[in-house]
Amino acid sequence: MAKHKTLAFFIPHLGCPHRCSFCDQHVISGRQTAPEPAEIAETCENMLRQYGIPQQTEAAFFGGSFTAVPIDYQNALLEAVQPYMGTGGFCGIRISTRPDAIDKTILARLKRYHVTAIELGAQSMSDRVLDLNRRGHSAQAVREAGALIRDAGFSLGLQQMIGLYGSSLRDEYDTLEQLLACHPNTMRFYPTVVLKGTFLAEVVKDGGYPALLWDEVIDFGSDALCCCRKQGVTVLRMGLHDSPSLQENRIAGYYHPAFGEVVESRLYRRALEKAAADHRIPILSVETAPGTLSKLLGQHSCNRKFLAAKGIHLTCKESQKVKQGELLVNGISCPVYVERQKI
């Protein structure tokens, strides 16, 4: 996943016309109230005065459906950031919103405020899954909003939730394929986490969720990374940001505090398995790029243990001569991003 620099402000639930099956933005963001414009300006000013604003850093409004909140509040928040735009300041503004809260008039207004990137909470491209999870929009709304955003010159971001209520593994791969067909610039992947007080919490209580296996979720995440890389789509995040409120309120679902690392480690395991199978060798001497040894080994050395159970001995070290996304296995170069699974 790419490192992405933002100064993020969270606007929990404001603008959301529906309470989706999984949603409690107060828990996810760790914030109970929406920020005031003066607070936004003060935070920007403090950042600029104390640290400066690093190059290629965006201001971002996440959490609620930004373009569905009252327009006066939207404009006030955007205006609060304007003095900090441009040379020595933010390179743009990123927002997240619902697919059914976008039109040409909205986009024209956002452009005047130097918004440069718009992320849509697509979540699924199955209308059945969207209905089950009370999203209140269709897959077609994602396609139409995505096209408007791209045509207007914004960077398009799409978000997919893995393992929603009623979603099969086939649905996940179909959703990924359809989202990539919208030609996004960036994507985020969030495994579904069940929080107290949500509709999904009631479904869990009744024994109707979750359905996917943990390994299936990890494999899907790995395949998603491969597909995005192949199409030149930047993956900004894989997994929810960890927080005390999330830890306290989650009761089920697919959660790991380092989900992205676990997903990338699965790619390394696949690459090692393939190398062992291709060369029919029981000993793998592996060199990996700087800073990637933990991904190669896996958490608690799970990749090494997995290979050992198959009779494959692994020795490994980091090396400056190995590029990111590659391995040297017994002196032979092999890619980390292997082909996606066929479902």
Side-chain angles (χ1 to χ4, degrees), residues 20-23 25 28 63-65 96-99 119-127 129-130 133-139 142 157-165 167 171-172 174-176 179 187-192 220:
C20 303
S21 68
F22 50 83
C23 196
Q25 287 290 344
I28 294 170
S65 296
S96 64
T97 194
R98 294 174 54 84
E119 296 188 26
L120 298 177
Q123 319 312 8
S124 176
M125 293 297 277
S126 163
D127 285 336
V129 173
L130 291 171
N133 290 275
R134 305 178 174 186
R135 283 293 293 165
H137 66 78
S138 65
V142 177
L158 296 174
Q159 301 170 4
Q160 177 175 355
M161 288 193 69
I162 308 169
L164 281 169
Y165 175 45
S167 184
D171 289 324
E172 299 301 335
D174 285 346
T175 289
L176 175 62
L179 290 179
M187 286 193 69
R188 297 180 195 261
F189 296 90
Y190 296 117
T192 304
F220 172 77

Side-chain angles (χ1 to χ4, degrees), residues 10-177:
F10 290 91
I11 311 171
H13 283 310
L14 283 185
C16 293
H18 303 273
R19 176 63 75 85
C20 303
S21 68
F22 50 83
C23 196
D24 189 332
Q25 287 290 344
H26 301 298
V27 170
I28 294 170
S29 67
R31 186 181 180 106
Q32 297 299 315
T33 59
E36 294 294 329
E39 180 185 347
I40 301 293
E42 182 180 3
T43 301
C44 294
E45 183 65 32
N46 288 340
M47 180 179 184
L48 182 63
R49 186 170 56 250
Q50 295 181 31
Y51 311 107
I53 297 176
Q55 286 188 336
Q56 300 305 308
T57 297
E58 297 170 317
F61 294 100
F62 292 144
S65 296
F66 187 82
T67 57
V69 306
I71 191 168
D72 289 345
Y73 182 58
Q74 282 184 59
N75 292 344
L77 293 178
L78 293 170
E79 285 170 1
V81 179
Q82 298 308 300
Y84 308 96
M85 302 297 299
T87 304
F90 298 112
C91 63
I93 299 173
R94 176 176 294 266
I95 66 163
S96 64
T97 194
R98 294 174 54 84
D100 54 356
I102 287 292
D103 60 33
K104 289 183 179 180
T105 301
I106 289 171
L107 294 176
R109 177 172 51 82
L110 294 177
K111 183 151 286 192
R112 290 197 297 271
Y113 282 109
H114 303 102
V115 173
T116 51
I118 300 173
E119 296 188 26
L120 298 177
Q123 319 312 8
S124 176
M125 293 297 277
S126 163
D127 285 336
R128 175 183 55 81
V129 173
L130 291 171
D131 287 343
L132 281 172
N133 290 275
R134 305 178 174 186
R135 283 293 293 165
H137 66 78
S138 65
Q140 183 61 20
V142 177
R143 298 185 191 97
E144 292 174 357
L148 286 174
I149 289 166
R150 286 188 61 87
D151 289 347
F154 294 90
S155 172
L156 172 63
L158 296 174
Q159 301 170 4
Q160 177 175 355
M161 288 193 69
I162 308 169
L164 281 169
Y165 175 45
S167 184
S168 68
L169 197 57
R170 180 68 269 170
D171 289 324
E172 299 301 335
Y173 283 92
D174 285 346
T175 289
L176 175 62
E177 184 176 346

